[in-house]
Amino acid sequence: MSYNNYFNLSLEREQLQVKMSFYDLHIEDDGKVGLVQQLVERMDLTALIGSYKKRGRRPACNPVTMLQIIIFCYSEGLFSCRAIEKACKYDLRLRLILAGQKPPDYASINRFRQRLAPLAEDLLHQFLKMLIEDKQVDLSSIYIDGTKIESFANRYSFVWKKSILRHQAKLSARVADYFNLPKETASQILEDTLEESLKALYKKAGEKEIVFVYGSGKRKTREQKEIEMLQKWLDRFQKYKQQLDLLADRNAYSKTDPDASFMRMKDDHMRNGQLKPAYNIQLASSGQFIIAAYASAHPNDMPTLIPFLSQVIPKYRGLILRVVCDSGYESIENYSFLAKENIQAFIKPANYDKSKTRKYKEDIGRRENMTYVSEGDYYICTNGKRLLRQKDYYKTRKSGHKERIQNYRCQECTNCPFTKSCNKYAKVANPKSKGISFSPDFQHYREEALENLRSQLGIEERINRSIQAEGMFSKLKDGLKYNRFRHKGLESIVAEINLMAIAMNLNTLLSKIKKGCQGPIRYQKAV
């Protein structure tokens, strides 16, 4: 078959003419266009339409149609405004969505996406409610995992907390020495002293009618030099204070995207463990659908679970019975939070794999390998000596959570034949005592989680977590090639990841419809 039957170049008009022959040309419908239109029609878009002014020029493209275009393009791996604009002009499926409307340009698409940002989370929630009504999702078990995605920031625009504190300490010592103050004087007191001194110097310069001069060939007065020096110090104090406020509990941030933190990424193009500005993205999934998304500037997964679930649980109260996570989420705070919400914790203990090894089981210095006597509340070591209960103490963690620590100690370790294997971290060669300490609440929660994981249900939950939670990021990064954000700021990142979640859910739903799958997807252990 010759392609000349379909295309004919006209050099005079500089256009590509298409000869449509409906007997030979057939365009296959993949069903995505109709599915996008049906889903958007079922959504409550009152907030989106209400964001437009009733008076003035109407948008060139209907906002409902624009939303359909954004979701469709995101599901096809088109994220930039110019790529979406090009697709609206030449993709027949998008021309069908436009239904005769003028294709929007890249500026209109960008403005609409900014308008859509505060509504993206609610749109994802509405999508999930549809899936629950259609019995496509079962939220009794949700699977949570995280990944790091690079920010749209300069990789070398870092500001380090340790560097700021070091420079601030040097400046404080210099200012304290200038005013003959103690070296331990707080930076806020030094800042106030600088402000008072500057006021006095400006007043003195005004009384003497000193004219400030600048540029080469000009001689500055002693008062002007002193004022400029103190003002420079004051500006540096204020700069360090502002940077520390931006850092909060982080160790670094990016100058070109202050909300992004520098994290160690798996994609190390320099092969030297280089840190990059990135965000920690958390996804909660169930039945191959993303039910919620969360973005954080904290590089670890552990402190993200409580704020994430605090957003998810109120929306689906009573539906979530189990939370399945990997060992990166294990902490006393997370265990306590789930217990308070009456949710079963299927969190893999941090020592789960290590506890199976022979070395761990034969380590006589560990509390787990000692004999516990509940009647006297003491432990018996390999040498038959007792580790007696000492006074408990409380430990306050960074999050503010207080936990009780039980302490046991043996005072008969002198010349013990098992010292090297039992007390291997002692600072002296022949230690007199051996102590163990642990949190009873944490151990109780860990044993419960371990029991849950070892049950038949727990085995299935671990299988589903490894497939569903990890599979979401495979679809995002490998399937849609989304490896770096195209926006700056935490609010924009949250909106972007929620739109991506809607697009990925659309692809999953379309795949289920084509395969004729009904009901929630759940994997079973192979027999």
Side-chain angles (χ1 to χ4, degrees), residues 254-315:
S254 171
K255 293 178 183 177
T256 51
D257 187 4
D259 288 343
S261 298
F262 277 80
M263 307 177 187
R264 199 174 300 279
M265 310 282 288
K266 290 182 180 178
D267 180 21
D268 185 11
H269 68 287
M270 296 289 287
R271 298 183 180 179
N272 60 354
Q274 182 186 16
L275 303 179
K276 298 179 184 177
Y279 290 93
N280 188 356
I281 304 302
Q282 302 289 316
L283 296 180
S285 59
S286 180
Q288 290 289 2
F289 290 100
I290 300 174
I291 68 171
Y294 179 77
S296 171
H298 203 288
N300 297 327
D301 292 335
M302 188 185 300
T304 63
L305 185 64
I306 294 177
F308 186 20
L309 289 179
S310 298
Q311 296 179 5
V312 178
I313 291 175
K315 296 178 182 177

Side-chain angles (χ1 to χ4, degrees), residues 30 288 475 507-518 521 523:
D30 62 354
Q288 290 289 2
K475 293 178 181 178
N507 289 338
T508 303
L509 182 59
L510 179 63
S511 177
K512 288 187 67 176
I513 292 173
K514 287 183 176 181
K515 294 177 181 178
C517 297
Q518 298 293 331
I521 297 175
Y523 299 93

Side-chain angles (χ1 to χ4, degrees), residues 71-123:
I71 295 175
F72 181 88
C73 290
Y74 270 52
S75 68
E76 290 290 307
L78 301 174
F79 311 111
S80 72
C81 296
R82 294 184 185 272
I84 296 174
E85 177 192 13
K86 185 177 180 180
C88 289
K89 292 179 179 178
Y90 304 115
D91 194 320
L92 293 178
R93 296 172 297 176
L94 287 172
R95 298 303 293 251
L96 181 60
I97 292 176
L98 285 167
Q101 299 182 69
K102 181 181 178 181
D105 60 356
Y106 70 92
S108 300
I109 295 170
N110 187 46
R111 285 194 298 268
F112 177 79
R113 194 155 52 180
Q114 292 175 359
R115 191 186 298 270
L116 191 64
L119 309 174
E121 184 177 348
D122 180 62
L123 294 177

Side-chain angles (χ1 to χ4, degrees), residues 25 32 81-82 85 103 134 151 191 274 310 375 379 386 435 442 460:
L25 184 64
K32 185 178 287 188
C81 296
R82 294 184 185 272
E85 177 192 13
D134 298 340
S151 167
E191 190 175 339
Q274 182 186 16
S310 298
E375 296 179 357
Y379 285 89
R386 295 184 179 184
F442 178 76
E460 292 183 4

Side-chain angles (χ1 to χ4, degrees), residues 143 149 217 273 284 315 374 385 408 437 440 466 495:
Y143 310 97
I149 299 180
K315 296 178 182 177
S374 57
K385 304 297 182 180
Y408 294 82
S437 57
S466 61

Side-chain angles (χ1 to χ4, degrees), residues 351 354-355 357-363 366 368-369:
N351 66 341
K354 189 177 180 180
S355 61
T357 61
R358 181 187 299 177
K359 181 179 178 181
Y360 185 95
K361 294 177 180 179
E362 295 179 355
D363 189 352
R366 291 189 173 275
E368 295 85 347
N369 298 327

